[in-house]
Amino acid sequence: MMSQKKCESTIQKGGEMKKGEKIYEGKAKIVYKTDDPDLFIQYFKDDATAFDATKRGTIIGKGVVNNKVSAKLFELLESKGIPTHFVKLLSDREMLMKRLKIMPIEVTVRNITAGGMSKMLAIEEGIVLKEPVLEYHYKRDDLHDPLFNEYHIKALGLATDEELDRVDTLSFEINEILKAFFSERNLDLVDFKLEFGKHKERILLGDEISPDTCRLWEKGTRKKLDKDRFRRDLGGIEEAYQEVYKRVMG
Ligand code: UDP
């Protein structure tokens, strides 16, 4: 049983983990240590950036939406056997997560053409792909997260063959689970970005899954309900995030 002393040191009034030192502040999130070296706290901000942070703004309520939507989707994925870093929600903007050593690879999965793929291959947006496309991007803001392939990754020692196989398998499984989940809520999952990391030698899904990291289009109307409203100045940004929240949590 946990001693009273240990209990007091790790749990604040109200049952929350105590936030320790800030170890990372990104564009949309802050990560804090806790008293437990295996656990971190992820705090979601309302700040939004696009195009390598050359465009900046605030989407009111985004942090709450992204925290709660991510928590719900991590729970869904865990229930289907996908290992994630998610432990529990701590507050509207904070989740407790397992400490991860993040792999410097962003995995993108695409079901419908949009964004970077449409631009790179000069194809219109909205074409339903015959099968999902998986891309790796090198997680390097200074280089604009360039597309690279499994040979680069292995040759640079960023992941082994076995680890990449695992990442691919998990990514395609996650796609099937999320596609079905959003489809039941009248949304098409166009594409999304995942980040994986290692916790005690095990590969877990990390980061977040939210309208910041997914493209979600309303079925039929193809109305964009994601960060493209901010990137492309389409207006109705807050409403779009709230709509996704309602559909995911409802
Ligand atoms: N994405 C992300 N972070 C990034 C880049 C992309 O979460 O740094 C997400 C984006 O929201 C979209 C998917 O990954 O759902 C594919 O993005 P794409 O490669 O088309 O790049 P973009 O059009 O955002 O430049």
Side-chain angles (χ1 to χ4, degrees):
M1 216 173 101
M2 196 186 262
S3 73
Q4 187 61 31
K5 192 151 184 281
K6 168 91 175 159
C7 208
E8 277 169 7
S9 71
T10 53
I11 301 177
Q12 276 185 322
K13 276 183 277 168
E16 290 184 11
M17 289 290 290
K18 199 153 101 191
K19 276 213 292 275
E21 183 194 340
K22 185 201 281 190
I23 52 157
Y24 165 82
E25 178 154 7
K27 289 163 264 183
K29 295 189 291 284
I30 307 174
V31 177
Y32 297 92
K33 282 186 178 173
T34 68
D35 290 348
D36 184 333
D38 287 333
L39 298 175
F40 283 169
I41 289 171
Q42 179 158 252
Y43 176 93
F44 289 76
K45 303 191 275 186
D46 283 351
D47 298 350
T49 61
F51 313 120
D52 300 311
T54 52
K55 183 180 172 79
R56 289 173 182 274
T58 303
I59 302 174
I60 297 162
K62 173 172 86 80
V64 177
V65 171
N66 287 1
N67 183 37
K68 292 191 173 176
V69 165
S70 292
K72 171 94 179 186
L73 297 176
F74 283 137
E75 275 172 353
L76 167 76
L77 293 170
E78 286 277 356
S79 77
K80 308 265 184 193
I82 306 288
T84 79
H85 71 159
F86 178 72
V87 178
K88 64 174 180 176
L89 269 179
L90 293 176
S91 70
D92 273 1
R93 289 177 183 272
E94 292 165 318
M95 64 167 65
L96 189 64
M97 60 195 200
K98 291 177 189 150
R99 177 188 188 146
L100 279 191
K101 192 170 187 311
I102 286 281
M103 299 163 92
I105 301 165
E106 297 191 349
V107 180
T108 301
V109 182
R110 302 178 186 277
N111 298 305
I112 298 175
T113 59
M117 179 175 171
S118 287
K119 204 166 167 195
M120 180 175 74
L121 302 177
I123 11 174
E124 64 181 290
E125 296 199 317
I127 298 169
V128 178
L129 294 160
K130 293 190 198 322
E131 54 188 74
V133 168
L134 185 146
E135 291 172 0
Y136 307 111
H137 293 256
Y138 193 14
K139 198 169 147 62
R140 284 278 301 268
D141 281 346
D142 57 334
L143 302 177
H144 317 296
D145 299 339
L147 185 70
F148 67 165
N149 67 32
E150 67 267 36
Y151 294 97
H152 295 108
I153 293 171
K154 284 186 270 173
L156 293 171
L158 304 179
T160 64
D161 233 336
E162 206 187 5
E163 288 166 349
L164 267 191
D165 274 356
R166 179 76 176 140
V167 162
D168 289 5
T169 303
L170 288 172
S171 299
F172 285 124
E173 283 176 11
I174 291 166
N175 185 41
E176 291 310 313
I177 297 165
L178 295 183
K179 237 175 26 177
F181 178 85
F182 284 118
S183 185
E184 284 165 15
R185 286 150 182 84
N186 210 33
L187 295 170
D188 278 326
L189 178 60
V190 173
D191 58 30
F192 57 99
K193 185 262 297 183
L194 300 172
E195 294 187 25
F196 293 90
K198 274 197 191 165
H199 178 80
K200 299 181 177 173
E201 295 311 305
R202 199 162 164 243
I203 293 182
L204 307 182
L205 175 65
D207 196 46
E208 65 178 284
I209 311 173
S210 71
D212 269 14
T213 62
C214 300
R215 283 194 172 92
L216 296 165
W217 293 354
E218 185 172 64
K219 281 184 189 289
T221 65
R222 293 200 150 179
K223 182 176 178 194
K224 295 180 197 336
L225 295 172
D226 55 59
K227 198 173 157 189
D228 271 349
R229 300 206 78 82
F230 170 75
R231 293 188 189 101
R232 303 179 186 189
D233 293 321
L234 299 176
I237 306 167
E238 274 92 6
E239 292 79 358
Y241 276 69
Q242 293 302 326
E243 182 61 32
V244 171
Y245 178 82
K246 215 167 71 191
R247 293 193 193 201
V248 167
M249 310 306 289

